[in-house]
């Protein structure tokens, strides 16, 4: 059985210029193993908020995918891609849908980069929050080096949102770019 223990010296992470918090930082106490938490959508599409979401909630859709705007957001252009059907992970998807994923990610990335003032597009998937496949595309602002790397989603949670007008406008521009490629 694996025994997990925090390191005594956290400067390996806190010294990164992208780390969003000031030192000293202490890790939480670790709890032992426990049963996996039941996630929304775990019992199938009948209790899945992503499956139940109306088409109008999405920026762009096709027969297998739906793209939602992250709102509120400090990073305009941040979007979440969902499968239309209720699959939990790549392991559950048919090959046809999996083969669409890479090219669609490239299209979404181009659309976000086309907003201007976006330095990079970060793609994240964890699978722990919901039992319906979805991935995040975070739009890292151009020139903001402190937002580089794996802490971008943490920054997205602790920064104030941009104006709804700016967030919605970026979403509309991403949707238009995707529609032009259809």
């Amino acid at each position: 059985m694996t025994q997990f223990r925090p390191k005594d010296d956290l400067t390996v992470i806190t010294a990164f210029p992208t780390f969003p918090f000031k030192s000293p930082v202490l890790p939480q106490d670790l709890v032992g193993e426990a049963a996996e938490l039941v996630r929304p959508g775990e019992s199938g599409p009948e209790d899945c908020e992503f499956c139940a979401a109306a088409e109008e909630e999405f920026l762009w859709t096709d027969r297998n995918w739906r793209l939602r705007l992250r709102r509120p957001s400090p990073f305009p252009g941040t979007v979440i891609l969902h499968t239309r059907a209720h699959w939990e992970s790549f392991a559950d998807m048919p090959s046809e849908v999996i083969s669409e994923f890479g090219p669609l990610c490239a299209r979404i990335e181009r659309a976000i980069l086309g907003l201007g003032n976006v330095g990079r597009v970060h793609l994240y998937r964890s699978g722990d929050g919901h039992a319906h496949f979805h991935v995040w595309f975070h739009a890292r602002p151009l020139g903001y080096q402190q937002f580089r790397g794996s802490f971008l989603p943490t920054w997205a949670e602790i920064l104030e949102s941009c104006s709804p007008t700016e967030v919605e406008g970026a979403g509309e521009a991403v949707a238009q770019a995707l529609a032009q490629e259809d």
Side-chain angles (χ1 to χ4, degrees):
M1 180 89 29
T2 303
Q3 183 86 3
F4 296 103
R5 288 184 284 289
K7 296 177 180 180
D8 291 330
D9 180 7
L10 297 181
T11 57
V12 67
I13 195 168
T14 60
F16 275 96
T18 59
F19 189 67
F21 305 101
K22 293 179 180 180
S23 290
V25 174
L26 301 173
Q28 293 188 39
D29 292 333
L30 295 172
V31 296
E33 285 184 57
E36 288 288 320
L37 297 175
V38 176
R39 299 165 297 162
E42 192 90 43
S43 63
E46 57 279 350
D47 75 334
C48 176
E49 67 185 90
F50 296 163
C51 288
E55 287 292 298
E56 300 79 42
E57 293 183 36
F58 296 89
L59 295 171
W60 172 90
T61 64
D62 74 4
R63 64 188 170 93
N64 289 319
W65 302 95
R66 303 196 299 175
L67 189 71
R68 184 188 306 240
L69 182 62
R70 163 73 191 279
R71 56 169 88 83
S73 177
F75 306 128
T78 296
V79 294
I80 309 159
L81 179 65
H82 304 258
T83 53
R84 181 177 288 281
H86 189 80
W87 291 300
E88 183 177 335
S89 70
F90 288 113
D92 302 327
M93 288 181 213
S95 297
E96 170 197 339
V97 176
I98 293 170
S99 69
E100 295 173 358
F101 183 73
L104 181 54
C105 287
R107 290 178 60 199
I108 294 167
E109 181 178 26
R110 280 192 299 273
I112 295 169
L113 290 170
L115 295 171
N117 295 320
V118 174
R120 300 277 184 275
V121 177
H122 295 211
L123 178 65
Y124 292 100
R125 177 186 181 275
S126 72
D128 281 334
H130 205 289
H132 185 119
F133 184 87
H134 61 289
V135 294
W136 292 73
F137 293 80
H138 286 278
R140 189 209 19 104
L142 183 66
Y144 284 83
Q145 300 303 309
Q146 197 169 7
F147 299 149
R148 289 177 20 249
S150 59
F151 296 117
L152 186 64
T154 304
W155 280 110
E157 294 301 323
I158 64 175
L159 296 173
E160 289 187 13
S161 180
C162 289
S163 74
T165 302
E166 189 174 359
V167 172
E168 295 292 331
E172 289 173 19
V174 168
Q176 288 174 356
L178 288 172
Q180 289 174 354
E181 285 195 42
D182 281 342

